[in-house]
Structures are given as C-alpha cells and as structure tokens.
Amino acid sequence: MATPAPESTPGGMATFNILHGFPEALVRGMRSSFLADSDYHHLTQCETLDDFRLNLSETDYSAGVQDKSSLTPTSLQSAAVDKLVTEFQYLRTQAIEPLSTFLDLITYEYMIENVMLLLKGSLSGRDINELIAQCHPLGMFKESTMRSIPTFESNSKGYSDLYQTVLVDTPVGPYFSQFLQESSDRFGDSRNVLEEVEIEIIKSSLIKYWIEDFAQFVDKLGGETKAIMGDLLKVRADTNAINITLNSFGTPLNEPAMRASDRKRLYPAVGHLYPAGTSMLADVADEDELGRVLELFPQYSSIWNIHQSGSGDKSIDDAFYERDVQQLELAFEGQMHFAVFYAYVKLKEQEIRNLVWISECILQQQKDEINKFVPVFSQHSPWRAKKAGAGR
C-alpha cells in the first residue's frame, strides 16, 4: 500500500512561496512560542503547582491554564495537547496539495495508536468513555467510529467484522489491510490474525507500514523535503528497529525460530540500518550482541554506550530524545521544505513531556530529578555546546 504520488512537487525557489509560503511562514512564526531557557529555569524553581501555573501564565500556555482552578500534570498535558492540535488544524486548513497530504500522513501515526488503544482496552473490558478520553486528538475519527471499535466481540469473527465494517473506511485502513494480507499466509484464515497476534506486535507492524508509506511519499516529493524529512524518517525507522530488538529480549520474539521470521518482519524497510543492519539485528540474541551490531554504526554506538553504562542520569530513551531534538531543530534551519511541519509537531510533543515531567517532580517533591528533561531550542543543549567549542 502506498499513498498516491503527489500531483505536484513542493516547488523550487521560484514557486514554493506561491504554493506553500503562508503555512510555512505560520509554522516558522510558531517557533517563537517554545519555552526559553529562562522559562524552564523559573518553572524548575517552583515549589507548588500553583507557582508553576503562575509562571506558565507568562508563556504561550497562559490561555490553557488560566481557567483551571487547580493544575495537575494530567490537566496540564491535556491543555497543552489541545493547544498543539488547534495550531496543527489551523495549519492544515491553510495547506494545499501536496502539503495537505503530508500533514495528513503526520496524523496517521496517532490514528494507529488510538485504534490499538481502543482494541487493547476492549480486551480488558475498560469503559469506552475512559478509553476515548485517553485517545490523542490528532488521531480521532468520527465519534461513532471511535465508539464502534470496542463493541465487537473478542473472537475471530468479531475482529473480522471490525476490519470489514469500520477500519476499512478509515485513513489507516490500508495499513490494516496490508497487515492482514501478509499475515494470512502464516495464520490461515485472515480473520484469526488479530486473535493470534499480540496487540503490540500488530501496532509495531502498522507503524512500520506507516513509516514506509511516509518515506515513499517524501521520496516522490524530492528536493529539500526528500533530503531533510527522508533523514528524519530513516532515524525514526532505526529507532523502532533498535527498540523492537531490545524489548524482545525475554519474550517469544527472541526465540531462534521467531527472530528471522516474526521479529524481522517488524523492522521498517527504510533507515540507515536497512538492509545490512536490520539483517544483523534479526540474528541478535542478547544485549551484548546488539551492542556489537550498533558499534558498526557510529550514530548509534554512542547512544548504546549510554544504555550499557547503566548511568542513572540518562536512559537510552533520553539519549534518543536528545538526538531527535537536535535533528528536528536543524530542520528549521533549512528553507522551502515540508519537514519543518513534522519537526514542529514533534518538538512540541517533547516540550509537553518536559512540562509534565517538571510538574510531576514538583507534585512528588522530587526536586533532585527535576532537571532530567530535554529542552527545545536551548542555548545550553549538548550538541550546541560542542558546536560552539569547535568554532573557537
């Protein structure tokens, strides 16, 4: 399955601004809304969440928190995500092809996560209203569609009916169709697939198809978008492959018979690791072997060394976040490309994670841990400090 080829290219120096200049100007102007180093300093000095809310009133988040009588990490996250969604939807209304399809592809990731959340919640018997409240607003379908997903019976016929009557009409339906088609040869009747395979494996497969589809679309766009966004997607694919391998240890996916079949199928067919690196990852049996493979790829060996050192100051997820923030920030340095829209969404997500982390530390009185976040557009970022040192 592939998103149809764009009818027109993003344009060069002569035509890009005619077609997409206004939404690009908007998103570049939105860069000024990110919290500054001074904002983070003031927020980390707060003793209570009331102080935290007072400091936020001086930032771009003031409208979202001023009407709340009491601020909690959950309500803060909800308000911040709603703000991001409002901004993204406004950008989407100003976009024409092929930018509009590019923005839609960004939302498909959240649609997949929402569908899998509803499926997983329905298996455990959780309340539908509670599940919908936890869904990401960027990945919402019509309410009738959202409510119908958990209503199907938890058996082979129920899952088959779910795809044929609901998922097939959603934007991410082709990904589910591709998963069922590829899996039916291994499980027989395709209606048994969703019953036999764990939810997380289904999710990893769907994310793989989304990354590959997005990468193909970007490749067709060409130009700066292909160069910058293509690299961002390659890194995203590699991160998925490394995490899938790491998380498979101690599970059936790490059994010899499963590594080259089921686990390898979850690796995206794009990325800096593909194809040589992913072929080697398919044979990895433990963390030592994984480390030896990643040592062959300098861009990931340093991240793996952080995980292997077992340092309490930084986890492998933190190292991935730092690397992602650096690349996403650099996307703003280029001109006349679409990657800046993707970068804005992902950097805002990182900023929201930072706010939730700081508010949680204040609430739990864990001030020693409060500075363990990854700031966005910070003048004190490790990679900026290295660059400044090299320039002297």
Side-chain angles (χ1 to χ4, degrees):
M1 175 269 170
T3 299
E7 295 181 1
S8 61
T9 60
M13 294 181 63
T15 59
F16 184 92
N17 284 338
I18 298 174
L19 300 172
H20 314 294
F22 182 61
E24 188 199 29
L26 285 173
V27 75
R28 291 186 182 278
M30 289 175 180
R31 173 177 170 170
S32 63
S33 68
F34 285 98
L35 298 176
D37 288 334
S38 58
D39 296 320
Y40 281 116
H41 175 73
H42 293 146
L43 292 172
T44 55
Q45 300 304 309
C46 295
E47 297 294 335
T48 67
L49 289 182
D50 286 336
D51 294 340
F52 188 83
R53 181 178 61 174
L54 185 62
N55 277 276
L56 277 181
S57 65
E58 301 297 324
T59 70
D60 208 50
Y61 292 98
S62 58
V65 300
Q66 64 182 2
D67 295 331
K68 298 186 180 298
S69 56
S70 62
L71 188 68
T72 65
T74 302
S75 64
L76 170 62
Q77 182 178 25
S78 177
V81 169
D82 287 344
K83 175 181 175 294
L84 169 60
V85 171
T86 300
E87 293 168 347
F88 182 86
Q89 290 175 340
Y90 181 68
L91 290 172
R92 177 63 181 82
T93 62
Q94 305 301 319
I96 62 173
E97 288 292 349
L99 176 57
S100 55
T101 298
F102 181 92
L103 296 179
D104 288 341
L105 279 163
I106 293 176
T107 67
Y108 291 176
E109 177 185 9
Y110 305 100
M111 292 181 186
I112 293 171
E113 292 178 351
N114 286 351
V115 171
M116 302 319 297
L117 172 64
L118 292 173
L119 284 177
K120 192 173 184 178
S122 66
L123 290 175
S124 58
R126 294 174 59 189
D127 180 66
I128 178 62
N129 293 315
E130 177 187 348
L131 291 172
I132 291 179
Q134 292 182 359
C135 289
H136 198 288
L138 274 182
M140 297 294 280
F141 307 119
K142 294 185 298 184
E143 184 174 356
S144 59
T145 301
M146 301 293 288
R147 290 188 174 277
S148 65
I149 291 175
T151 60
F152 291 85
E153 295 181 6
S154 299
N155 55 42
S156 57
K157 185 178 185 303
Y159 288 131
S160 178
D161 292 342
L162 169 63
Y163 168 71
Q164 293 176 6
T165 61
V166 178
L167 298 181
V168 70
D169 292 326
T170 65
V172 295
Y175 302 143
F176 284 89
S177 176
Q178 184 177 354
F179 173 76
L180 291 171
Q181 182 64 38
E182 293 184 3
S183 301
S184 61
D185 296 336
R186 295 152 57 204
F187 290 93
D189 189 346
S190 63
R191 68 173 55 185
N192 294 321
V193 172
L194 287 175
E195 190 174 38
E196 297 291 338
V197 182
E198 293 182 9
I199 292 293
E200 286 304 315
I201 294 180
I202 300 175
K203 179 180 176 180
S204 295
S205 298
L206 298 176
I207 292 295
K208 167 197 169 180
Y209 301 142
W210 167 73
I211 291 175
E212 292 172 352
D213 185 28
F214 207 162
Q216 289 177 13
F217 181 79
V218 166
D219 190 61
K220 294 169 185 173
L221 290 177
E224 284 293 291
T225 299
K226 175 182 176 181
I228 300 175
M229 188 65 201
D231 191 61
L232 290 174
L233 289 172
K234 286 179 180 178
V235 171
R236 173 65 188 277
D238 292 344
T239 302
N240 274 29
I242 294 170
N243 281 329
I244 287 169
T245 306
L246 187 59
N247 294 332
S248 72
F249 299 147
T251 72
L253 273 181
N254 197 38
E255 296 176 0
M258 299 279 280
R259 291 176 203 152
S261 57
D262 294 60
R263 192 173 75 185
K264 189 175 182 179
R265 291 175 187 269
L266 301 178
Y267 300 151
V270 294
H272 298 295
L273 293 177
Y274 178 81
T278 51
S279 295
M280 289 186 282
L281 288 180
D283 299 325
V284 164
D286 54 42
E287 289 196 7
D288 289 338
E289 293 183 10
L290 176 58
R292 285 195 288 272
V293 170
L294 295 181
E295 283 178 0
L296 303 175
F297 299 88
Q299 63 267 52
Y300 300 115
S301 60
S302 59
I303 293 178
W304 179 252
N305 290 336
I306 292 173
H307 170 76
Q308 206 167 30
S309 67
S311 172
D313 294 335
K314 188 184 296 184
S315 68
I316 190 171
D317 287 335
D318 293 331
F320 276 130
Y321 285 144
E322 277 191 3
R323 189 274 322 275
D324 290 345
V325 166
Q326 174 183 348
Q327 283 199 304
L328 294 166
E329 288 179 1
L330 288 173
F332 274 84
E333 302 302 320
Q335 299 292 324
M336 300 181 184
H337 63 85
F338 291 166
V340 67
F341 296 92
Y342 177 86
Y344 179 76
V345 173
K346 294 303 178 182
L347 288 174
K348 272 297 178 181
E349 284 188 338
Q350 180 60 50
E351 185 171 83
I352 293 170
R353 281 193 291 268
N354 294 343
L355 289 174
V356 173
W357 174 263
I358 295 171
S359 62
E360 287 280 9
C361 288
I362 293 172
L363 185 63
Q364 300 175 20
Q365 297 182 347
Q366 298 287 331
K367 297 302 286 287
D368 292 340
E369 306 289 323
I370 202 168
N371 287 306
K372 293 182 179 179
F373 59 87
V374 183
V376 178
F377 290 115
S378 171
Q379 297 303 312
H380 306 297
S381 297
W383 70 274
R384 277 201 174 87
K386 292 180 182 178
K387 185 177 180 181
R392 292 195 181 104

